[in-house]
Amino acid sequence: MSTRLQEANDRLIFRGTNSKKGRSISITPDNSQMKHLVYGRIILDQEEPSAKFSTGRLETGLICLSGKCVITADGQTNGLSQFDSIYIPRDTAVEITTATSVDLVECSAEVDNKYPLQIVRYADVEKDGSLRFKTGGPSTTRTVNITLGKNVEAGRILAGFTTSEPGHWTSWPPHEHAAMLEELYVYYDMPAPAFGVQFVYTNPDEPEFIGVVRDGDAVIMPKGFHPNVSVPGHPINFVWLMAAHRETEDRQFGVVNVQPGFDQAGSGLEASRK
C-alpha cells in the first residue's frame, strides 16, 4: 500500500469503537476531519449499569442497537428497546440505566437552537415507506432505515442504519453530498469472519480510502463518494450518522450527487423524498 493511502487510512478509519464499556466518544471535530459531527458509544451491562452526561452545546441522538434501557432527560423518563431512538436537545442532563444490557450509538453536533426532546419507536419507522424501504438491484439490495430524519425536528443531525443482502454493495450507485452533509459509517452485527470493504474517493483513480471494515469500525466521509461491499455469505450492516453544515437548511436526507457514469437509474434513495 502506498504511503499516501496509509496516511489516508490513519485519518479516515477508527477501529474497534465498540470495545469499551460505559460511554466513550470516538470521533469529534478535534480528532478528525469532521466539522460538526461527533460519534460515541454507550455500552452498559449489570457490571456497569448507568451513565450520566450533559449534552452541552450539542444536540444528541441515540439509537439502541441492542438491549434495553431507561433514559431520563429534559424532565422525561423513557424506555428504549432495539432500534428505538431518542433525540435529546442541547443543554440537557442525561441519565441512562439498564437492568440487563444496552448498546447505544450516540450522534451529536453543535447547534445554536434548542429543539424538543423526541422519541422514535422503530415500530412506527417500519410502518412508513419513506423511512424504511428496500432499494437496489440484483447485486445492490439493501434496506434503509431512517430513524432520526424528517420525522424529527432537529438542527443538524440525521441518523439511521442500513442492512445489505449477503455479498451485496450498498451506497450504490456511488453518491456524495459534501456541500450539505458530512457523514460517517459505524459497522455493527458483523461477527467474524464477516467483513466488508469501504471506499471513499473524490477521484476514483486516487481514492482517499480503501479498506477492510469489521464490526465496531467507523469510517468518516467528510467528502467524496462512499460505496461499500460485503463478502459473500455475509451482509454489511452499518449505522450512518450525518451532520448538516447549515443548521436546519442543509438537514435533508436523499439530496445527493450520483457519480457520473452510474447515474442512469437515479440514486436509490428516492423513496425517502416522498
Side-chain angles (χ1 to χ4, degrees):
M1 179 179 291
S2 69
T3 301
R4 180 177 178 181
L5 260 181
Q6 183 60 55
E7 290 174 351
N9 285 355
D10 294 339
R11 186 170 61 252
L12 297 184
I13 189 164
F14 295 73
R15 299 284 188 188
T17 65
N18 61 343
S19 61
K20 298 178 182 178
K21 288 184 183 180
R23 178 175 180 253
S24 56
I25 304 298
S26 295
I27 299 172
T28 74
D30 292 331
N31 71 352
S32 73
Q33 295 180 55
M34 298 287 92
K35 295 180 179 179
H36 312 287
L37 192 57
V38 176
Y39 156 61
R41 202 71 169 254
I42 303 171
I43 299 176
L44 305 175
D45 59 17
Q46 291 181 331
E47 293 181 355
E48 190 162 350
S50 65
K52 294 182 180 181
F53 64 97
S54 174
T55 58
R57 292 180 57 84
L58 306 177
E59 64 176 357
T60 297
L62 301 175
I63 301 176
C64 181
L65 287 186
S66 64
K68 295 182 178 181
C69 67
V70 173
I71 298 177
T72 301
D74 205 30
Q76 300 183 36
T77 297
N78 293 280
L80 292 191
S81 299
Q82 187 176 39
F83 302 139
D84 289 344
S85 300
I86 184 172
Y87 173 88
I88 303 171
R90 56 167 290 176
D91 301 316
T92 300
V94 182
E95 181 176 10
I96 303 168
T97 59
T98 183
T100 52
S101 65
V102 72
D103 183 354
L104 300 165
V105 167
E106 180 177 341
C107 172
S108 304
E110 189 171 296
V111 288
D112 292 328
N113 300 308
K114 190 170 184 177
Y115 307 89
L117 185 143
Q118 298 151 80
I119 295 289
V120 178
R121 299 297 177 195
Y122 185 60
D124 294 328
V125 172
E126 290 182 298
K127 298 173 186 176
D128 188 330
S130 68
L131 297 178
R132 184 181 188 274
F133 54 90
K134 183 171 283 192
T135 188
S139 61
T140 61
T141 305
R142 72 274 192 193
T143 300
V144 178
N145 299 269
I146 305 169
T147 62
L148 298 171
K150 63 183 180 181
N151 55 327
V152 167
E153 182 183 357
R156 279 200 166 95
I157 59 172
L158 292 161
F161 59 97
T162 295
T163 60
S164 82
E165 295 297 316
H168 282 221
W169 290 81
T170 82
S171 296
W172 194 273
H175 64 263
E176 66 84 27
H177 38 67
M180 295 174 62
L181 299 155
E182 58 188 10
E183 186 171 21
L184 65 83
Y185 288 174
V186 182
Y187 304 91
Y188 77 97
D189 196 19
M190 292 174 57
F195 68 90
V197 179
Q198 178 69 57
F199 300 76
V200 181
Y201 56 87
T202 50
N203 178 353
D205 295 327
E206 296 182 350
E208 286 87 347
F209 177 80
I210 301 174
V212 169
V213 290
R214 295 184 171 88
D215 191 85
D217 292 344
V219 173
I220 66 172
M221 296 120 184
K223 62 180 180 179
F225 304 101
H226 41 271
N228 58 28
V229 62
S230 60
V231 294
H234 300 273
I236 193 168
N237 306 315
F238 56 93
V239 181
W240 45 265
L241 312 176
M242 300 184 194
H245 294 305
R246 293 177 296 178
E247 188 170 335
T248 66
E249 188 173 352
D250 286 341
R251 188 179 177 267
Q252 300 182 59
F253 182 88
V255 180
V256 301
N257 299 311
V258 178
Q259 182 179 343
F262 297 107
D263 53 359
Q264 297 88 349
S267 69
L269 302 175
E270 287 80 7
S272 69
R273 307 296 297 172
K274 294 179 180 178

